[in-house]
Amino acid sequence: MFSRAARPVVQRAAAVSARPAPSNNYATLREIEGRLKSIRNIEKITKTMKIVASTKMNQAQRNMVQARVYGATNNKVYEEAETKPEEKGKTLFIVSSSDKGLCGGVHSSLSKAVRAKLETNPEADLCILGEKCKAQLGRSHPKNVVMSFSGVGKDVPSFAMAQSIAHEIMSLEKQYENVEVVYNHFNSPVAYEASAIDAFSEESIKASANFAAFEVDDEQLPDLREFALANSIYWGLAEGYACEIAARRNAMDNASKNAGEMINKFQILFNRTRQAVITGELVEIITGAAASAE
Amino acid sequence: MVAAWKAAGLSYNKYLAVAARVVRRSLKDEPRLKAERRGQFELKFAKWENGKQQESKPLSTL
């Protein structure tokens, strides 16, 4: 009984060990060669993208430094006036992302920040600049989106672009008591974090403590607000663009490095397999020759 | 007193954009080409209603 039951197992084990040990992962030479080629091509692409991002980097960073000064000057007015956002009322989040991906977690960190803000303020509306965040937030919070722009982030953002975005936002029918520009703050070429700039409404500007010192006529307030909104959007766009380029450079650098490692590994595997094949053939030939000589 | 651009129904941003364009166009050739590139952009925008994106429209220079 026992011996008969055990036999099939023994037979199967013998069959497995009898088969010649497959050289790594059953891969044939041609398969490895194909993989190697495609990895090489990918490495070429990522390297080129890295170089492109590096050259754009300087320009983007310069532009961002300028935009930062610009935005800070704009904010100085409200700092001095001690303007505070309204306690209640409708809020609009302007999400400053861009159209292109392949730049690490830039867009998803922005989406995450916006989602966290929507948790505390579920009634808020969204205006999304750029395709990437539109796709992410449009899936999770489609009801909150009122407007989206695409074509952002092809080049260094210009003030003219920020202006026309601000213009479109101001011509929405709804009135917003608070407007916040959510963007990625550029800390260093390797670090960024999602932050927000307030763009105040007329009421909150008017209600601020020291605003009377500026002696601005009431009828000019809407203009001031529009201009401030354009400034904030410009700041957010410029900073987001610099972050994106920096992140893309890093991401592509890592990708090229990984590709290089993979190429090395596959090259070794390829050489070994080739050697094994040659050895196998030699053994066959020699055995054949020895057999026929006898 | 109402400014002329306001009476014409322009928003402040639009007024600024028009003014900027005029300044760019009146520059000498060399700086003008450089400056005009700053004024160009291609945007598309779309309004959303009830969680659906409406038709997107091109948004060119103001």
Side-chain angles (χ1 to χ4, degrees), chain A residues 20-270:
Chain A
S23 52
N24 297 309
N25 305 333
Y26 299 98
T28 64
L29 260 186
R30 189 161 296 175
E31 273 169 8
I32 298 172
E33 207 179 354
R35 280 288 289 283
L36 203 56
K37 232 180 227 169
S38 75
I39 298 168
R40 279 225 179 89
N41 283 339
I42 292 169
E43 194 203 22
K44 255 182 230 161
I45 295 170
T46 53
K47 247 187 194 157
T48 320
M49 281 184 80
K50 188 199 151 194
I51 292 166
V52 171
S54 309
T55 40
K56 279 188 179 173
M57 182 75 206
N58 276 332
Q59 201 192 1
Q61 217 166 332
R62 217 179 315 128
N63 187 57
M64 181 209 67
V65 170
Q66 285 166 358
R68 203 179 258 181
V69 175
Y70 202 79
T73 318
N74 178 54
N75 273 13
K76 185 93 179 149
V77 177
Y78 302 113
E79 262 168 44
E80 293 294 325
E82 289 174 19
T83 310
K84 293 205 174 54
E86 298 272 299
E87 293 287 314
K88 52 188 182 299
K90 204 100 168 102
T91 309
L92 176 72
F93 292 123
I94 302 171
V95 187
S96 153
S97 90
S98 88
D99 280 6
K100 285 186 202 152
L102 290 177
C103 49
V106 167
H107 300 307
S108 42
S109 87
L110 206 56
S111 299
K112 220 181 268 170
V114 173
R115 276 183 203 135
K117 279 179 188 292
L118 283 173
E119 287 278 299
T120 54
N121 195 351
E123 290 298 299
D125 280 348
L126 293 173
C127 168
I128 302 171
L129 317 178
E131 294 280 348
K132 283 286 153 184
C133 273
K134 186 183 94 180
Q136 289 170 355
L137 292 168
R139 225 176 305 134
S140 63
H141 299 88
K143 297 266 179 225
N144 297 72
V145 185
V146 288
M147 207 180 219
S148 67
F149 292 84
S150 58
V152 186
K154 279 184 192 148
D155 211 341
V156 174
S158 66
F159 189 68
M161 191 161 101
Q163 265 185 331
S164 55
I165 292 171
H167 177 78
E168 288 305 321
I169 290 170
M170 292 310 288
S171 51
L172 281 174
E173 286 123 42
K174 279 191 212 161
Q175 285 296 316
Y176 296 100
E177 274 68 39
N178 287 313
V179 179
E180 264 183 55
V181 181
V182 188
Y183 70 107
N184 274 317
H185 187 82
F186 185 93
N187 288 340
S188 78
V190 286
Y192 55 86
E193 62 181 330
S195 344
I197 318 169
D198 281 310
F200 301 105
S201 65
E202 289 116 75
E203 290 81 28
S204 48
I205 295 175
K206 227 195 245 170
S208 49
N210 299 328
F211 193 69
F214 286 102
E215 297 184 350
V216 177
D217 285 341
D218 276 2
E219 63 179 49
Q220 279 160 1
L221 273 180
D223 305 340
L224 179 66
R225 183 199 181 182
E226 268 181 45
F227 188 53
L229 181 64
N231 282 338
S232 306
I233 291 175
Y234 177 58
W235 186 11
L237 280 177
E239 198 122 0
Y241 183 71
C243 284
E244 188 197 324
I245 296 289
R248 176 166 301 129
R249 199 187 64 173
N250 292 334
M252 288 303 123
D253 192 25
N254 289 338
S256 312
K257 249 185 231 156
N258 291 343
E261 269 170 35
M262 274 174 90
I263 286 172
N264 278 342
K265 252 195 217 157
F266 271 94
Q267 190 72 60
I268 290 169
L269 179 63
F270 178 74

Side-chain angles (χ1 to χ4, degrees), chain B residues 7-62:
Chain B
L10 292 177
S11 73
Y12 186 59
N13 274 328
K14 210 157 194 166
Y15 161 66
L16 281 185
V18 171
R21 195 171 64 204
V22 171
V23 173
R24 279 193 209 110
R25 283 200 181 156
S26 49
L27 289 169
K28 272 188 178 174
D29 268 353
E30 215 171 292
R32 190 188 52 138
L33 290 175
K34 241 171 142 185
E36 277 191 338
R37 217 175 301 144
R38 278 201 294 273
Q40 284 166 351
F41 55 88
E42 278 171 35
L43 274 182
K44 273 187 183 162
F45 83 103
K47 289 190 175 173
W48 288 54
E49 264 159 40
N50 297 322
K52 283 274 178 309
Q53 186 181 349
Q54 307 294 307
E55 196 191 346
S56 70
K57 290 169 239 164
L59 182 71
S60 54
T61 327
L62 290 174

